[in-house]
Amino acid sequence: IEALAADCRDEEACRERVGDVTADITAVVDRLDATPYSGTDEDGRPLVVTGDDAVSGLFVSLYDSSLIPLLPEAIDSLARGNDMLIPVMAGAAVPVMNDTSEGAYLSYECADNARLDSGAAGSDTVDGATQGTLLLLSGWYLMCDLWDVEPTPASFDDPVVSTIPTLVIAGEYDPITPASRSRAIAASLDRSLYVEVPRGGHTPGSASSCVREVIASFVTDPEHTNRGCIDAQEPVPFGG
């Protein structure tokens, strides 16, 4: 979210239409914490949304590359008191949470992350975390004490070292697998090709014909992959 806000400030048209995305998010959170939205979602189910819920919805929205260009103006609209988008955002976010097998989810999340909730590792994780990240971490803290799975050893986080040709694809705004982590993974692999999709979210290649072309080229000849469309790709303008 911070990267999106910074890029909106740098893009003249977005800056003039929207202004400060970070300030808008703060305004949305304060407003909805003071007076939560009460209504129904697109399927008619009762819906109550607080400031934290709104941040969680924005976090989930960053998974979808097609939504990202629309987010600055959507956030600005919410900051101005227009709640018409809340049922739409809930319609996108709620299935992500409800359609997941909670048992399977907690089994791997608690195994991977339960050891991060204490000691130096916990402090390093929380220090500098964004609000969306803290909300995610709070879910681990609340449930992992109750979900009895063996935590992974510290070596689980060691970089993978390999000489196998590997294509690493990242979305610039991926909220759950940040591009910085993907770059670090690529750097630890001897024969890697790193591709970053401008303003892409999570799994940015699923809706991108350009990324699919790069994947096909890599599979055909890893040593001579044609990544020209990525290198020439301009970010989708905000609002477009």
Side-chain angles (χ1 to χ4, degrees):
I1 292 175
E2 285 81 358
L4 180 145
D7 284 348
C8 181
R9 284 195 300 270
D10 291 341
E11 187 177 291
E12 183 178 0
C14 185
R15 184 174 65 249
E16 290 180 351
R17 287 196 308 271
V18 173
D20 189 337
V21 172
T22 302
D24 279 348
I25 292 174
T26 300
V28 171
V29 171
D30 290 345
R31 179 172 69 84
L32 292 177
D33 278 345
T35 308
Y37 170 87
S38 181
T40 59
D41 66 13
E42 292 182 304
D43 294 324
R45 293 171 295 198
L47 185 65
V48 176
V49 177
T50 66
D52 281 350
D53 295 327
V55 172
S56 296
L58 292 174
F59 185 90
V60 172
S61 295
L62 289 171
Y63 277 58
D64 188 340
S65 298
S66 66
L67 291 179
I68 287 173
L70 308 177
L71 289 180
E73 291 193 46
I75 294 166
D76 186 61
S77 180
L78 287 171
R80 296 174 185 274
N82 182 356
D83 290 338
M84 292 179 62
L85 288 175
I86 288 180
V88 178
M89 293 176 64
V94 170
V96 173
M97 304 303 295
N98 288 349
D99 292 351
T100 301
S101 167
E102 292 184 5
Y105 174 80
L106 289 173
S107 291
Y108 69 75
E109 287 291 354
C110 293
D112 289 357
N113 299 296
R115 61 187 167 78
L116 300 179
D117 69 356
S118 61
S123 298
D124 291 344
T125 303
V126 172
D127 287 346
T130 64
Q131 186 172 2
T133 302
L134 290 173
L135 289 171
L136 189 64
L137 289 172
S138 70
W140 297 338
Y141 295 168
L142 290 172
M143 300 302 297
C144 290
D145 285 344
L146 305 175
W147 200 257
D148 187 20
V149 293
E150 188 72 21
T152 56
S155 60
F156 181 81
D157 291 332
D158 290 347
V160 173
V161 178
S162 174
T163 59
I164 297 173
T166 307
L167 177 61
V168 180
I169 302 172
E172 182 183 5
Y173 296 153
D174 189 332
I176 201 68
T177 309
S180 59
R181 296 293 181 89
S182 297
R183 283 193 295 271
I185 290 170
S188 73
L189 300 169
D190 289 344
R191 300 172 67 192
S192 68
L193 174 63
Y194 176 75
V195 171
E196 183 171 317
V197 179
R199 295 186 183 165
H202 195 54
T203 60
S206 59
S208 169
S209 59
C210 174
V211 174
R212 291 196 293 271
E213 288 176 17
V214 173
I215 293 172
S217 178
F218 179 85
V219 171
T220 301
D221 187 353
E223 303 300 334
H224 300 91
T225 301
N226 182 357
R227 50 170 294 158
C229 65
I230 288 288
D231 294 334
Q233 192 172 29
E234 295 290 333
V236 177
F238 289 119

